[in-house]
C-alpha cells in the first residue's frame, strides 16, 4: 500500500468490561442449569465483530472505534441484526471492504435464520448511500465473495487480532 | 606426510565444509597424540599464513587458532610462547584480528583438566601474556573499523585478560608510575582503558554493548586492585560517564526471534542491567553518574524515570558513603538538591493527581512510581549515611504539611493544613481525598527514611513521627479541637486524625520490619545510631499500641451513646456494633486497626529474629537485649491483637450484612481507594499471630518477659470469640448469619494451617473440641442450616484432613488434642443422632425437629446434596483423625447401631430403622484405618451390614424400606469392611457362605420373571460396592460379580436370570424394588465404580488410597481389562446396524442398534471413570465399543429418529429404559474420553495404535459427535419419558454438557484425524455445527462458531 488513507488514526482502549472470557465449562453448564435460552444480544454480536482487523492498520475495528455496541441492534426472536459502522475518515475507500467483512463475519457466526443488515453510520462517509446500497445488494456481495483476491482480503481481516509487530534491531544512543 | 595433507585439506577452498572439518579433527588428534607438534602445523600452514591474500591469511590463522584452542591442554610452555608471539603479531594484522583474538583468548584461559594430556598442562608465561595484551590494546584502537564478529572477539579477549587476572598481575608487577611508554607493562592498564574507550565509541550492536558494559566493570576492578595506580581511571572517568550516558536509558526493540534460531535474543532488561552495573562499577564515576541520573529523573519519559530510579539504587549502594559524601553529603550542594527534588516530585506526584480507585485509578502509574521512588530514597539515604539525604527529606516542606494535615484532621477539618489550602467551609470530599493522598505520600516518604537505618529513624521520629504521635494521643484522649463530646467519646470525633496517625506509624513500622528481615541488626553494627533508633522505635510502638488500646473500647462497644457524625456520611443505625462511628468511618478504622496490628506483628517477628541472631552470636550486653526485647509484643499485647483482629473481622461481616451489600471489601482510603476486605486482612494477620516465634530465653529474661508468648491464652480467646459468633443465639437475622459465616470462614482458614505451625494446630484442636455443641445444638436452640451445611463441608474437606496431617513429632500435644477433639466430634454426632432418631420416632414431622440432621431450609435443589451426606462426610473425616483405640470404641458403637437397624428391618418395621444414626455408623465404619479391626470383628460388622441390606430389601420388608436412604452408606461400609478383611481365608468363606446366597443371588431370578420382579436398586448397588472392594484387593471373586452385573445390563427386563449367571439361586427370589430401570442404572453405574480412583455414596467414601483402603498394585489395570473384555464380549452379541449408504457409517442408521442401553451406559461409565492412560493403552479394544455405545446413547437421547421408521429412544429389544440423566451422564463421560484421545493425537506425542483405531472408526466417530450435538433436554425427556418437573434442571445441565463435549470433539477432530478421512463427512458436520449456532446456551454458540470456522476454512 503506497499511501495510507488515514495515516494517523486515533487508537482506543479495548474495553475490559465486556463478556470476553473464554468459553469455560462453568459458563456452559453453570450459568443456567436448565435449557432456558440465553438470547443472542448486543454484546454477543459485538464480540463477533470487535476483533476484525482493519484492512490498512494493524488494529481491530474496536480499537479504531469503527464498531461499537451502541450501533448494534439485535432482535433474537425475530432474527434481525443491524450493525452500523463508522469509518475513521469520511473519504475512506475501505468502507465497502469493512462492511463486507462485517457481513461475512456475521453470516458465518449467526444462525441462518438471521437477517443481517450492515450500514454506515449516518453522516459518517462521503459516499454513504452508494456504499450502503452496495452492502445491501445480496448479489453484489455474493459476486464479491466469488472474487478470490477479495475473499482473501476478507479472510485476512477476519483472522483475528494482528500479532505484535516485531521490533527492529536498533540501538538509539 | 599425512599431516601435511590434512593441513592442506583443512585450508583448501575446493572441498566442502565437512571435509575441512574432518581434516581439522585429524590434525587435532595427531597433535593430541603428539604425533606432530603445533609448530609443525604452523610450518605446514606457512603458505596460507604468509599469503598476500587476506582471505588466505585469515583462513590460515583461523585453522591454527582452532587447533591451538582445541589442543590447549597438551601444549608445552615453549609452544605456548611461540604461539602467543605469533598470534599477538597477527592481532595487528586486521584481516586476521578476529581469528587471532579467539585463539589468544583460548591461550589466556586456564586449560581445562579434561583436555590435558598425561602431563599437567603448561601455563602461559607472563611475558607471553604481556605480548598478547599489548597487541590487544593496539588492536582495540582500530576496532571501530572491524566487523561485528571481530569487535566482539576482541572485547571477549579483553574480558578474558581482565577477568583472568592477567592485566592486574602485569600492571601490578610494574613499578608504579613507570615512564615506560605505551608498550611498557607499567602503562598497560591505562593503555587498555584508552584503547577500550576508543574501540567502543559509537558502538551500536547490542551483543558488543553487553560485552562492553561488562568490560567497564572489569576495567574499573583492575584499577581498584592492589598495586595499580587508579589515577588514570579518575582522569578518564568523565569520558567514561559521557560514553555510558549516551546509552541511558536503553532504548532497544529486540527483533522477533527467527524460527529455529538457537541463540536466545538479547532483551532490553539485560542491556539495562549491564549498563547499570557499568555505572556502579567505580566510585570515581559517582559525580557524573549522579548528575546524569538526577537529570533523567526529572524526565517525562517514563522508562527514563524508571531506569534512573533503578540505577540510582544500584549505584548508590555500590559507591558507598565516602564516595557519595562530596555529592550528597552537603544539603546545599547542587547534586543533592537535584536528586532530592527529582525524588520528591516523583514521591508527591499522586497528591496532585487523583489516583484513587485502585489499580484502574492508577492508570498513569503515579502510585507505582511513588513507591519506586520511596524504595530508591531508602537506598540512597542508607548509602549516603545518616544526616545526608534523610535530613534533606525530613526538612522538606511536605513534612510540615503532613503534620499540619494530621493536626487539622484532629480539629475536624481534614485537609485544612498548610498544604490543603481549602477547607474553610468544612470538610468536603475533594479536600478529604486530597488530605488522604497527602498522608499516603507522606507515609511513603517517612517510611522510606525510617527504613534507611536507625539514625534516620531517630531523625524521622524527631521531625515527623513525634508530632504525629502527639496529635494521635490528643485525638484519642480528648479535649482540644472542635469536638463537643467528653473525653470518653473523643475518639468518635476524629476518626480521620486517628486513621492518619495510625497509618503513618504503621507504615513506618512495616518499613523498618521489612528491613530487619535478613539484614544485620543495625543497633549492633552502629551502636550510637542504634540506640537512638531503638528509642525511636520504642516510642513509635508505644504510640501505636496505645492508640489500638484506646480503640478497643469503641470497636467492642455494642451501643455507644455518642451522637456525633464523623464525616459526610449519614449517622449509623443505633443497633450497629460500632454505633459511635458512621458505617464508612468504622469500616476505614477497622482497616487501619488491622494494618497497624499487622505492622506490629511484622516488627515483632523481625526483632525476634534479630534477638535470636544476637543471642546465638553471644557477647551482647543484656541492656541491648532488653532494649530490643521491649520492641517485641508482650503476651498481653498479643492477646489484645487476637481479640481486636477477630472483632474487626466479625464486625466487618456484620456491617456488610447490615448495609445490604454482599461484599465485605470496601474501598480503603489508606490504600489508594483499592478494594480491601477487612476479613481477609484480619485472617492473614491472625495466621501470622498464631505462627509467631517465641522470644529467646535470654532476651526474655533481660526484658522481663515470659519466654512463651502465651499461645494457649490466645487460642482460648480466639476459640471463645469465634464460637460465640457461631452460636445461633449470638444475634438474629441477616447480621447474625453473616457473622456466623465469617466466623466459620475465619476459623477454617486458621485451622487449615494446622500442619504448618504449632499455633494453628493448637487452635484447630481447640476449635474442634468446641464445635460439637454448636453442630448438634439443643432441642430449643438448633444451629442455622445456612451455617451448619458449610461448616460440615469445610470440616470434611479442609479442617479435618489438615488436622490428620499434623506431624505428631513436631507438635505431639497438638496432634493428640486434635485426635481427641475429632473423636469427641464423631462420638457426639453418633449420640446426638441416636437421640434424634428416638425423638423423631416419637414426634410427628415437625419442621423444627428435622434439624440438625435433615435440612429444613433447603429447597431441594438438585445440586445440593442432603444434609445427612455432609454429616457422613464430616464424621468419616473425623474418624480418620482418631487414634486406634478411639477408632475401636467408635466402631463398637457403630456395630451396635447396625445390629439394631438390621433387627428393625428384619421385623418389617421400616419406620424403626434409624435415619440418622445408621448413616453415621456406616461413615464410622468406612472411616476406620485398614488394620484397626481384627478379622472376627470385621466379620461381625460385615454380617451385620449384610443382614441389614438383606432384610431391608427382602420381599417381606415394609414398604419404603428398600429405598431407605441409609442403605447406600451401609453398602459403602460393607465394601469398606470387605476390603479391609485381614484374613483372606475367612473372607473367601464369608463370600461363599454369606454374600453369594444373600445378595448376589438376589440379582438372579428364574427365567420368565418380569421387570416388576427386578432386584432392588440397593441390592445392585451393594453388589457393585462389594465388587469395588474386591477389585481393590484384586480378588478372584470379582469376575463373578461382573458377570452378575453384566447379566443385569443385558437382560431384556433388567433382571438377570439364573441362566445368565453362574451362581446358584436356591431360595433367593427377586425382590420388589424400584423396578428394572433403577437396578439397571445401578448396574451400569457400578462399572464406573469398579475402576474409579475415588467413589462415594451418601457422603461416605471408599477412596483407593493406602491410608483408606487395601490397594494391591495394578488393581485398576486388571479390573479395567476384565470389565472391558466382558462388556466387549456382551456387545458383540448384538449386530451393529446397517447404514444408509455403504461405507458411510457417519450417516443415519437404517435399522436401530440393538445394543441394550444399560450396556452402552456401562461402557461409557467404565471409560469415564478409568484413568486416561488406561483408556489410551486399551484403545484398540475400547475405541469401537465406546464409539458404538456412545452413539447408541446419543441416538436414544436425541429427539429426532435416526432414520425414517426408527422409533426414537430405546429400541424394541434394547432392555429397560434408563433415566435420561444417567444416559446423558454416561454419554458425556464417553465423549470426554473421546476428546482426550483426539487431543492426544493432535498433541506432540500421538499414539500410533490409538490413531489407527480412530481412523478406522472415523465415520462412526463423526456420526457420534453429530448426533450428540442434537441432544437437548427436550429431546432427552421425550425419548426417556421419565424426567420432568424437578428432574428437568439436572437433565438440562447434563445435556448442555453433552453438547459442549461434542463440539469440543468436533474441534479436536480436525487436528487428530487426517483430513482426507474426514472430507466425505465435512458437509454433514457443517450442517450439525450450523444447527448449534442457534443453541440456547451462549457458550455452546461460541464453541459452534469456532468449530464452524475450523471446518469451513479447511
Amino acid at each position: 500500500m503506497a499511501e495510507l488513507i488515514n495515516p494517523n488514526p486515533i487508537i482506543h482502549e479495548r474495553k475490559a468490561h465486556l463478556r470476553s472470557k473464554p468459553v469455560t465449562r462453568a459458563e456452559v453448564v453453570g450459568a443456567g442449569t436448565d435449557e432456558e435460552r440465553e438470547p443472542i444480544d448486543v454484546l454477543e454480536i459485538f464480540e463477533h465483530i470487535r476483533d476484525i482487523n482493519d484492512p490498512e492498520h494493524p488494529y481491530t475495528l474496536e480499537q479504531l472505534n469503527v464498531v461499537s455496541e451502541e450501533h448494534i441492534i439485535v432482535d433474537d426472536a425475530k432474527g434481525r441484526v443491524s450493525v452500523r459502522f463508522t469509518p475513521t475518515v469520511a473519504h475512506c475507500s475501505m468502507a465497502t471492504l469493512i462492511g463486507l467483512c462485517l457481513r461475512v463475519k456475521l453470516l458465518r457466526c449467526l444462525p441462518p435464520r438471521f437477517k443481517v443488515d450492515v450500514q454506515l453510520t449516518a453522516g459518517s462517509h462521503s459516499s454513504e448511500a452508494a456504499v450502503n446500497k452496495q452492502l445491501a445488494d445480496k448479489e453484489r456481495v455474493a459476486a464479491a465473495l466469488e472474487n478470490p483476491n477479495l475473499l482473501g482480503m476478507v479472510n485476512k481481516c477476519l483472522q483475528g487480532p494482528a500479532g505484535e509487530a516485531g521490533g527492529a534491531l536498533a540501538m538509539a544512543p | 606426510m599425512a599431516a601435511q595433507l590434512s593441513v592442506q585439506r583443512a585450508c583448501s577452498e575446493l572441498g566442502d565444509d565437512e571435509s575441512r572439518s574432518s581434516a581439522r579433527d585429524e590434525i587435532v588428534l595427531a597433535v593430541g597424540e603428539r604425533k606432530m607438534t603445533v609448530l609443525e602445523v604452523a610450518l605446514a600452514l606457512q603458505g596460507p599464513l604468509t599469503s598476500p591474500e587476506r582471505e588466505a591469511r585469515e583462513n590460515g590463522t583461523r585453522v591454527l587458532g582452532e587447533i591451538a584452542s582445541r589442543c590447549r591442554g597438551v601444549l608445552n610452555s615453549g609452544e605456548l610462547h611461540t604461539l602467543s608471539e605469533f598470534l599477538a603479531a597477527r592481532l595487528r594484522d586486521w584481516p586476521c584480528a578476529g581469528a587471532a583474538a579467539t585463539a589468544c583468548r583460548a591461550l589466556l584461559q586456564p586449560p581445562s583438566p579434561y583436555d590435558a594430556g598425561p602431563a599437567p598442562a603448561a601455563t602461559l608465561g607472563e611475558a607471553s601474556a604481556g605480548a598478547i595484551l599489548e597487541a590487544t590494546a593496539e588492536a582495540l584502537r582500530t576496532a571501530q573499523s572491524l566487523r561485528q564478529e571481530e569487535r566482539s572477539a576482541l572485547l571477549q579477549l579483553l574480558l578474558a585478560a581482565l577477568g583472568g587476572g592477567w592485566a592486574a598481575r602485569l600492571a601490578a608487577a610494574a613499578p608504579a608510575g613507570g615512564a615506560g611508554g605505551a608498550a611498557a607493562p607499567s602503562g598497560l592498564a591505562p593503555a587498555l582503558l584508552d584503547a577500550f574507550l576508543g574501540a567502543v565509541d559509537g558502538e551500536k550492536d547490542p551483543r558488543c554493548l553487553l560485552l562492553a558494559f561488562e568490560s567497564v566493570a572489569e576495567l574499573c576492578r583492575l584499577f581498584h586492585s592492589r598495586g595499580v595506580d587508579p589515577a588514570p581511571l579518575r582522569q578518564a572517568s568523565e569520558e567514561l560517564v559521557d560514553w555510558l550516558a549516551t546509552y541511558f536509558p536503553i532504548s532497544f526493540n529486540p527483533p522477533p526471534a527467527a524460527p529455529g534460531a538457537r541463540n536466545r535474543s538479547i532483551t532490553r532488561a539485560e542491556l539495562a542491567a549491564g549498563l547499570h552495573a557499568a555505572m556502579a562499577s567505580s566510585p570515581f564515576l559517582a559525580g557524573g553518574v549522579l548528575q546524569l541520573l538526577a537529570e533523567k529523573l526529572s524526565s517525562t519519559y517514563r522508562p527514563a524515570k524508571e531506569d534512573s530510579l533503578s540505577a540510582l539504587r544500584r549505584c548508590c549502594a555500590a559507591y558507598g558513603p565516602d564516595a557519595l559524601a562530596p555529592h550528597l553529603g552537603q544539603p546545599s550542594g547542587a547534586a543533592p538538591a537535584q536528586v532530592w527534588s527529582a525524588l520528591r516530585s516523583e514521591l508527591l506526584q499522586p497528591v496532585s493527581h487523583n489516583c484513587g480507585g485502585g489499580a484502574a485509578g492508577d492508570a498513569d502509574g503515579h502510585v507505582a512510581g511513588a513507591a519506586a521512588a520511596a524504595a530508591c530514597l531508602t537506598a540512597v539515604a542508607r548509602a549516603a549515611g545518616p544526616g545526608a539525604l534523610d535530613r534533606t527529606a525530613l526538612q522538606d516542606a511536605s513534612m510540615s504539611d503532613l503534620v499540619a494535615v494530621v493536626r487539622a484532621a484532629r480539629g475536624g477539618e481534614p485537609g485544612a493544613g498548610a498544604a490543603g489550602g481549602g477547607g474553610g467551609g468544612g470538610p468536603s470530599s475533594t479536600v478529604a481525598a486530597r488530605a488522604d493522598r497527602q498522608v499516603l505520600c507522606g507515609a511513603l516518604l517517612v517510611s522510606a527514611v525510617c527504613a534507611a537505618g536507625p539514625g534516620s529513624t531517630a531523625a524521622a521520629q524527631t521531625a515527623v513521627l513525634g508530632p504525629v504521635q502527639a496529635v494521635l494521643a490528643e485525638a484519642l484522649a480528648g479535649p482540644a479541637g472542635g469536638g463537643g463530646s467528653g473525653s470518653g467519646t473523643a475518639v468518635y470525633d476524629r476518626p480521620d486524625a486517628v486513621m492518619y496517625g495510625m497509618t503513618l506509624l504503621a507504615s513506618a513500622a512495616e518499613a523498618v520490619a521489612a528491613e530487619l528481615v535478613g539484614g544485620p541488626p543495625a543497633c549492633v553494627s552502629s551502636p550510637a545510631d542504634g540506640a537512638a533508633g531503638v528509642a525511636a522505635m520504642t516510642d513509635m510502638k508505644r504510640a501505636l499500641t496505645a492508640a489500638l488500646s484506646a480503640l478497643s473500647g469503641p470497636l467492642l462497644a455494642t451501643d455507644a451513646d455518642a451522637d456525633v457524625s464523623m464525616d459526610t456520611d449519614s449517622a449509623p443505625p443505633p443497633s450497629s456494633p460500632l454505633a459511635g462511628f458512621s458505617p464508612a468511618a468504622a469500616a476505614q478504622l477497622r482497616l487501619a486497626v488491622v494494618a497497624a496490628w499487622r505492622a506490629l506483628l511484622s516488627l515483632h517477628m523481625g526483632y525476634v529474629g534479630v534477638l535470636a541472631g544476637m543471642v546465638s552470636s553471644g557477647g551482647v550486653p543484656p541492656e541491648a537485649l532488653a532494649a530490643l526485647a521491649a520492641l517485641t509484643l508482650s503476651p498481653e499485647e498479643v492477646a489484645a491483637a487476637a481479640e481486636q483482629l477477630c472483632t474487626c473481622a466479625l464486625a466487618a461481616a456484620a456491617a456488610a450484612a447490615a448495609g445490604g451489600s454482599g461484599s465485605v471489601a470496601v474501598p480503603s482510603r489508606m490504600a489508594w481507594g483499592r478494594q480491601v476486605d477487612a476479613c481477609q486482612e484480619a485472617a492473614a494477620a491472625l495466621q501470622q499471630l498464631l505462627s509467631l516465634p517465641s522470644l529467646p530465653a535470654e532476651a526474655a529474661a533481660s526484658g522481663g518477659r515470659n519466654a512463651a508468648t502465651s499461645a494457649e491464652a490466645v487460642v482460648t480467646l480466639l476459640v471463645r470469640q469465634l464460637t460465640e459468633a457461631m452460636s445461633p443465639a449470638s444475634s438474629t437475622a441477616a447480621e447474625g448469619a453473616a457473622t456466623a459465616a465469617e466466623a466459620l470462614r475465619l476459623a477454617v482458614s486458621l485451622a487449615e494451617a494446622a500442619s504448618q505451625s504449632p499455633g494453628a494446630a493448637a487452635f484447630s484442636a481447640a476449635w474442634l473440641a468446641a464445635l460439637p455443641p454448636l453442630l448438634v445444638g439443643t432441642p430449643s436452640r438448633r444451629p442455622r442450616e445456612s451455617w451448619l451445611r458449610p461448616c460440615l463441608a469445610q470440616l470434611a474437606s479442609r479442617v479435618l484432613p489438615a488436622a490428620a496431617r499434623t506431624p505428631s513429632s513436631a507438635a505431639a500435644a497438638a496432634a493428640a488434642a486434635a485426635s481427641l477433639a475429632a473423636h469427641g466430634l464423631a462420638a457426639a454426632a453418633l449420640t446426638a443422632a441416636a437421640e434424634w432418631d428416638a425423638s423423631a420416632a416419637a414426634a410427628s414431622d415437625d419442621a423444627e425437629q428435622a434439624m440438625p440432621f435433615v435440612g429444613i431450609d433447603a429447597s431441594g435443589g438438585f445440586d445440593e446434596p442432603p444434609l445427612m451426606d455432609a454429616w457422613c462426610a464430616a464424621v468419616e473425616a473425623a474418624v480418620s483423625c482418631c487414634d486406634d483405640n478411639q477408632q475401636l470404641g467408635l466402631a463398637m458403637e457403630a456395630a451396635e447401631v447396625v445390629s439394631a437397624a438390621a433387627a428393625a428391618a428384619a421385623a418389617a418395621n421400616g419406620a424403626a430403622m434409624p435415619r440418622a444414626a445408621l448413616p453415621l455408623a456406616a461413615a464410622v465404619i468406612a472411616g476406620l484405618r485398614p488394620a484397626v479391626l481384627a478379622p472376627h470383628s470385621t466379620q461381625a460388622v460385615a454380617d451385620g451390614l449384610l443382614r441389614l441390606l438383606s432384610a431391608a430389601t427382602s420381599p417381606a420388608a415394609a414398604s419404603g424400606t428398600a429405598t431407605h436412604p441409609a442403605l447406600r452408606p451401609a453398602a459403602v461400609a460393607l465394601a469398606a469392611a470387605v476390603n479391609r478383611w485381614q484374613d483372606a481365608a475367612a473372607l473367601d468363606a464369608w463370600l461363599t457362605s454369606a454374600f453369594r446366597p444373600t445378595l448376589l443371588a438376589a440379582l438372579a431370578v428364574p427365567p420368565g420373571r418380569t421387570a416388576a420382579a427386578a432386584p432392588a436398586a440397593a441390592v445392585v448397588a451393594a453388589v457393585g460396592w462389594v465388587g469395588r472392594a474386591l477389585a481393590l484387593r484384586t480378588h478372584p471373586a470379582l469376575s463373578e460379580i461382573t458377570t452378575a452385573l453384566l447379566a443385569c445390563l443385558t437382560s431384556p427386563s433388567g433382571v438377570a436370570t439364573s441362566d445368565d449367571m453362574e451362581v446358584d439361586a436356591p431360595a433367593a427370589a427377586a425382590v420388589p424394588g424400584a423396578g428394572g430401570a433403577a437396578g439397571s442404572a445401578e448396574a451400569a453405574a457400578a462399572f464406573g465404580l469398579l475402576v474409579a480412583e475415588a467413589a462415594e455414596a451418601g457422603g461416605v467414601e471408599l477412596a483407593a488410597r493406602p491410608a483408606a483402603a487395601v490397594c494391591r498394585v495394578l488393581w485398576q489395570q486388571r479390573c479395567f481389562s476384565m470389565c472391558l473384555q466382558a462388556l466387549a464380549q456382551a456387545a458383540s452379541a448384538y449386530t451393529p446396524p446397517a447404514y444408509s449408504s455403504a461405507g458411510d457409517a457417519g450417516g443415519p442408521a437404517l435399522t436401530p442398534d440393538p445394543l441394550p442401553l444399560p450396556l452402552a451406559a456401562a461402557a461409557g461409565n467404565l471409560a469415564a471413570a478409568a484413568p486416561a492412560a488406561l483408556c489410551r493403552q486399551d484403545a484398540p479394544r475400547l475405541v469401537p465399543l465406546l464409539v458404538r455405545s456412545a452413539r447408541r446413547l446419543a441416538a436414544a437421547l436425541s429427539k429426532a429418529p435416526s432414520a425414517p421408521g426408527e422409533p426414537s429412544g430405546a429400541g424394541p429389544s434394547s432392555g429397560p429404559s434408563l433415566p435420561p440423566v444417567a444416559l446423558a451422564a454416561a454419554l458425556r463421560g464417553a465423549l470426554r474420553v473421546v476428546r482426550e484421545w483426539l487431543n492426544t493425537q493432535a498433541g506432540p506425542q500421538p499414539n500410533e495404535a490409538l490413531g489407527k483405531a480412530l481412523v478406522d472408526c472415523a465415520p462412526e466417530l463423526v456420526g457420534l459427535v453429530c448426533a450428540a450435538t442434537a441432544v437437548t433436554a427436550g429431546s432427552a425427556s421425550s425419548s426417556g419419558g421419565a424426567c420432568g418437573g424437578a428432574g428437568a434442571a439436572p437433565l438440562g445441565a447434563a445435556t448442555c454438557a453433552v453438547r459442549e463435549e461434542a463440539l469440543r470433539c468436533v474441534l479436536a477432530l480436525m487436528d487428530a484425524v487426517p483430513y482426507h478421512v474426514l472430507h466425505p463427512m465435512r458437509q454433514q458436520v457443517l450442517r450439525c455445527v450450523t444447527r448449534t449456532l442457534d443453541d440456547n446456551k451462549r457458550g455452546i454458540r461460541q464453541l459452534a462458531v469456532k468449530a464452524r470456522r475450523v471446518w469451513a476454512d479447511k
Side-chain angles (χ1 to χ4, degrees), chain B residues 123-132 166 169-170 173:
Chain B
T123 51
L124 194 67
E126 289 197 353
S128 313
I132 290 178
W166 286 109
R169 247 177 287 161
L170 291 170

Side-chain angles (χ1 to χ4, degrees), chain B residues 263-666:
Chain B
N263 294 335
R264 193 178 57 84
S265 59
I266 294 171
T267 62
R268 181 193 180 278
E270 285 174 343
L271 282 168
L275 178 60
H276 298 172
M279 285 175 155
S281 53
S282 170
F284 297 156
L285 309 180
V289 166
L290 286 179
Q291 192 79 25
L292 167 77
L293 295 179
E295 275 172 25
K296 297 287 182 183
L297 260 180
S298 52
S299 163
T300 53
Y301 182 51
R302 181 144 287 280
K305 207 173 274 191
E306 289 167 355
D307 275 16
S308 302
L309 289 171
S310 161
L312 202 54
R313 289 175 66 176
R314 184 160 185 175
C315 291
C316 288
Y319 294 157
D322 293 341
L324 288 176
H327 309 289
L328 292 177
Q330 303 153 353
S332 56
Q338 211 170 357
V339 169
W340 164 242
S341 78
L343 283 176
R344 180 188 187 278
S345 71
E346 191 68 9
L347 265 166
L348 300 180
Q349 187 94 329
V351 176
S352 46
H353 295 82
N354 187 3
C355 300
D362 190 27
D364 296 334
H366 293 312
V367 176
C376 183
L377 175 62
T378 302
V380 179
R382 187 187 297 135
L389 195 64
D390 54 348
R391 196 170 55 181
T392 314
L394 291 171
Q395 285 171 355
D396 190 76
S398 63
M399 290 291 97
S400 50
D401 287 354
L402 175 67
V403 177
V405 166
V406 180
R407 194 168 285 138
R410 180 186 64 82
E413 293 180 65
S428 69
S429 60
T430 316
V431 175
R434 185 179 168 83
D436 287 355
R437 294 200 298 272
Q438 266 184 297
V439 171
L440 286 169
C441 290
L444 273 178
L445 209 161
V446 173
S447 52
V449 171
C450 287
S456 306
T457 310
Q461 167 71 16
T462 313
V464 182
L465 295 176
V468 167
Q469 286 162 16
V471 176
L472 182 61
E474 281 175 30
L476 290 165
S485 312
S487 61
T489 57
V491 69
Y492 297 130
D493 292 350
R494 306 168 193 101
D496 281 352
V498 176
M499 184 173 72
Y500 290 163
M502 286 175 56
T503 302
L504 280 167
L505 296 179
S507 58
E510 191 85 55
V512 172
E515 292 301 316
L516 287 176
V517 177
C523 54
V524 174
S525 57
S526 54
D529 286 341
V534 167
M537 289 307 297
T538 311
D539 288 347
M540 203 190 302
K541 187 208 153 196
R542 191 181 301 127
L544 256 185
T545 46
L548 289 165
S549 163
L551 277 175
S552 67
L555 278 173
L556 299 172
T558 53
D559 189 7
D561 56 356
D563 55 355
V564 189
S565 67
M566 314 327 339
D567 49 24
T568 53
D569 297 289
S570 59
S575 62
S576 163
L578 291 164
F581 302 108
S582 69
Q588 298 299 328
L589 268 182
R590 272 194 296 270
L591 290 172
V593 166
V594 174
W597 276 123
R598 289 201 76 171
L600 284 175
L601 289 170
S602 302
L603 203 62
H604 175 92
M605 293 177 86
Y607 277 115
V608 168
V610 169
L611 282 167
M614 289 167 72
V615 166
S616 64
S617 61
V620 183
E623 298 79 34
L625 288 179
L628 284 182
L631 286 171
T632 58
L633 292 173
S634 67
E636 295 76 26
E637 286 165 345
V638 172
E643 189 171 11
Q644 280 200 18
L645 288 168
C646 199
T647 307
C648 280
L650 300 178
S661 63
S663 166
V664 182
V666 292

Side-chain angles (χ1 to χ4, degrees), chain A residues 19-45 47-48 76 104-114 155 158-160 164-173, chain B residues 203-207 209 246-247 249-256 271 862 1228 1232 1235 1271-1274 1288-1293 1295-1297 1299-1301 1304 1330 1333-1343 1345-1346 1348-1349 1353:
Chain A
R19 206 171 36 213
S20 56
K21 59 182 182 293
V23 181
T24 59
R25 178 173 297 277
E27 188 182 354
V28 173
V29 180
T33 50
D34 51 10
E35 283 279 19
E36 281 176 14
R37 183 171 178 82
E38 297 166 0
I40 296 176
D41 57 8
V42 170
L43 284 183
E44 191 170 335
I45 299 294
E47 289 206 344
H48 287 318
D76 186 35
V104 170
K105 178 73 176 175
L106 291 177
L107 286 176
R108 289 179 183 174
C109 294
L110 292 177
R113 69 185 172 88
F114 270 81
N155 282 336
L158 299 188
Q159 270 174 355
E164 292 291 325
L169 177 64
M171 171 64 61
Chain B
E203 179 63 67
K204 286 189 179 180
D205 186 84
R207 292 160 289 185
L209 272 176
T246 54
Y247 298 99
I250 294 284
S251 169
F252 174 56
N253 292 320
L271 282 168
F862 76 96
R1228 176 187 170 189
R1232 199 171 62 228
R1235 178 163 64 90
V1271 172
T1272 61
L1291 181 59
T1295 51
C1296 275
R1299 295 200 300 279
E1300 185 209 349
E1301 286 292 352
R1304 291 190 188 279
T1330 307
L1333 284 174
D1334 205 8
D1335 198 275
N1336 283 337
K1337 296 294 168 194
R1338 189 170 291 120
I1340 294 180
R1341 290 199 292 266
Q1342 289 179 359
L1343 277 176
V1345 169
K1346 277 189 196 170
R1348 190 179 190 280
R1349 193 178 65 224
D1353 287 355

Side-chain angles (χ1 to χ4, degrees), chain B residues 162 196 212-222 274 277-278 281-282:
Chain B
L162 294 169
F196 169 77
F213 293 149
E214 206 178 333
S215 303
V216 171
E218 293 294 340
L219 275 169
C220 290
R221 190 176 301 141
L222 165 69
S281 53
S282 170

